[in-house]
Amino acid sequence: MEEKEERSYEEEIHPERRPHPVMRWIGRILRWLGVALILFVVGLMLWRIRTMERIPKEMQTLLVNDATYAAYEENGKDLLIYTQEKLDPVTTNREAYGYFWIDQVLILPEAKQVQVLVKYNSSTLEHLAEDLELAAVPSREEDVIDLSMRIITDATPHKLEDIEDETTWLQSRLAPTGEVVRGEKDVYNFRKYIFDGVDITADTIGLKVDFYYAGSVDYESDPLGSLYVYYQLADKTPVKLSSADLEALNSYRNEGKTQEN
């Protein structure tokens, strides 16, 4: 009680020590504006990151060729498609650290087909120009990547303990089928490939894609980077046909009938 009386006495003697009501409201408004500004900046950053990381819809849609459609015609909406989400998606070797990403892999065993979507930042073009001592930085429209697939088969399937021993691997290289599909979004460049004739059996250890610079491909030399798109011991995640996938399949069928007529 005495303390309250002393405070009132102090305020009466020194009224300047007591904030004016208007100043108190201004202080509160400034505090709330500061909090709102922080929340806005954080929200904007999260939205920007999410937007930039999102794959363009047209690049997510299933690519369709004769093998894809034949498998769909036989199996309908029950067409088996899966991916493996736990595989490393980005090159981390010294020569291509962070240069290339695998944004999507669709494995269609009934079509003996694998579809691979690659993403790389426009800064990767600058790094390649510097690393390879190119005369100029390649344009975004250029296909700077030569992407091929290695099918790795176990030569000793009865010995599971040597699955990581490369001396027991049988390897064959496969080129993509048809034309690469291109796309751009913000600073990212997308390239989507189809690999046909991929027969995954119990002896298949894995599938690896190798990144070479398209201007000087030498399969006898080490690639810029390599990434698994399938590994025998990794979990499989089923992928359902989307409405866009079904539309692409039906369009392919209609185009085929038109050509026949």
Side-chain angles (χ1 to χ4, degrees), residues 41-58:
V41 171
V42 171
L44 183 63
M45 290 175 62
L46 292 175
W47 174 83
R48 180 64 174 168
I49 291 171
R50 184 176 179 182
T51 301
M52 290 180 67
E53 293 295 330
R54 189 177 298 162
I55 305 172
K57 183 179 179 181
E58 64 274 15

Side-chain angles (χ1 to χ4, degrees), residues 1 56 68 117 133 176 183 190-191 195-196 244 248-249 258-260:
M1 186 69 178
T68 322
L117 176 62
E133 299 181 350
F190 296 88
R191 299 292 185 270
F195 293 91
D196 281 320
L249 287 160
T258 301
Q259 291 174 1
E260 290 175 5

Side-chain angles (χ1 to χ4, degrees), residues 14 17 20 31 41 89 97 116 126 147 150 160 171 175 182 186 196 203-204 230 244 248 259-260:
H14 303 285
R17 295 183 181 178
H20 192 279
R31 283 198 298 271
V41 171
Y97 191 86
V116 181
E126 299 173 6
L147 194 77
R150 275 185 289 144
L160 294 179
Q171 302 186 62
R182 304 168 183 85
D186 294 312
D196 281 320
D203 297 342
T204 305
Y230 168 83
Q259 291 174 1
E260 290 175 5

Side-chain angles (χ1 to χ4, degrees), residues 61-123:
T61 304
L62 183 72
L63 297 181
V64 184
N65 64 8
D66 288 347
T68 322
Y69 185 74
Y72 171 68
E73 197 169 37
E74 183 176 346
N75 298 277
K77 292 183 179 179
D78 294 327
L79 176 67
L80 177 60
I81 305 176
Y82 67 86
T83 190
Q84 294 182 312
E85 298 177 340
K86 300 298 182 182
L87 300 179
D88 290 337
V90 60
T91 52
T92 55
N93 58 306
R94 184 175 61 84
E95 295 80 6
Y97 191 86
Y99 282 13
F100 306 110
W101 289 74
I102 299 293
D103 247 6
Q104 181 196 66
V105 175
L106 299 175
I107 299 174
L108 296 80
E110 293 153 340
K112 295 185 178 180
Q113 184 180 95
V114 178
Q115 300 191 12
V116 181
L117 176 62
V118 173
K119 177 178 75 177
Y120 57 91
N121 196 302
S122 291
S123 63

Side-chain angles (χ1 to χ4, degrees), residues 122-152:
S122 291
S123 63
T124 294
L125 301 174
E126 299 173 6
H127 292 312
L128 289 176
E130 182 179 353
D131 296 346
L132 303 174
E133 299 181 350
L134 304 179
V137 177
S139 69
R140 299 182 70 174
E141 291 73 27
E142 290 184 54
D143 288 329
V144 296
I145 304 171
D146 177 277
L147 194 77
S148 58
M149 178 180 288
R150 275 185 289 144
I151 302 175
I152 305 170

